[in-house]
Amino acid sequence: MKEKVISMRNITKKYYIGEPNELEILHGIDLDVYSGDFISIVGQSGSGKSTLMNIIGLLDRPTTGDYELGDLVVSEAKDSELSQIRNKRIGFVFQSFNLIPRSNALSNVELPMLYAKIPKKERQKKAMELLKLVDMDERYNHRPNELSGGQKQRVAIARAMANNPDIILADEPTGALDSKTGRTVMDLFHKLNKEEKKTIILITHNYELAEETSRILTMKDGFLEEE
């Protein structure tokens, strides 16, 4: 029996609460994700998928509803706890890479471990192992401006793996890449899912990519449906 890593019940997200222009973005979302899943959440801009991603990734809280991340009841956790849990249990991969320009690839991968107060020697050893996993160990000393888009994304994926998270959240990870480079990045996600047993949630508007995942969920007008 697979372990449930995410359980969401009746999640709503509202803005301008109590005002005449009150806006509800998410309308009662239910979602279960199990250990080792590779799922995609697809939808057009404005469908609510980014809002949902921010809640899954503990970057935002739902207005109402219950969210459990493993054994954590999100509504009962303080903001300071959430940032620590996010750093340890969720790895993020963004369309815009979000690498630190002045730091080389090795330092960028080390960053989540620095926040987790892992000693320098151990940090550097793990970062090199992760760069090797994504075939970027020979470029460990290169800064982001010396790397191609695909290379930057591979560094970002290594960084997402830094604290051995339960879940990798990938938000349009191939959106800024050409199709060949995007293929390399998707192959890497399949490798992490199959060989490293990582649970991966892919946020995308690209149905072709979504069809490579084992479950497809569609966001439309703030509702979530499974195909």
Side-chain angles (χ1 to χ4, degrees), residues 22-54:
E22 182 174 298
L23 184 64
E24 186 169 286
I25 304 292
L26 301 178
H27 315 297
I29 301 291
D30 292 339
L31 174 63
D32 289 321
V33 179
Y34 294 88
S35 178
D37 275 358
F38 189 174
I39 74 170
S40 50
I41 298 174
V42 293
Q44 299 304 315
S45 291
S47 62
K49 64 185 192 298
S50 294
T51 304
L52 179 60
M53 193 203 94
N54 287 341

Side-chain angles (χ1 to χ4, degrees), residues 77-96:
K78 299 188 181 104
D79 286 349
S80 56
E81 288 177 87
L82 289 185
S83 66
Q84 287 179 331
I85 291 157
R86 184 169 61 239
N87 186 42
K88 286 183 179 150
R89 293 170 71 171
I90 300 172
F92 292 90
V93 182
F94 298 100
Q95 178 176 345
S96 55

Side-chain angles (χ1 to χ4, degrees), residues 164-190:
N164 195 22
D166 302 328
I167 297 162
I168 293 178
L169 264 184
D171 187 14
E172 300 283 8
T174 64
L177 307 174
D178 63 68
S179 57
K180 188 181 172 191
T181 311
R183 174 72 268 147
T184 305
V185 167
M186 279 302 289
D187 288 345
L188 188 49
F189 282 123
H190 285 293

Side-chain angles (χ1 to χ4, degrees), residues 60-73:
D60 199 359
R61 290 180 185 265
T63 307
T64 60
D66 299 309
Y67 176 20
E68 292 178 24
L69 179 69
D71 54 4
L72 171 81
V73 179

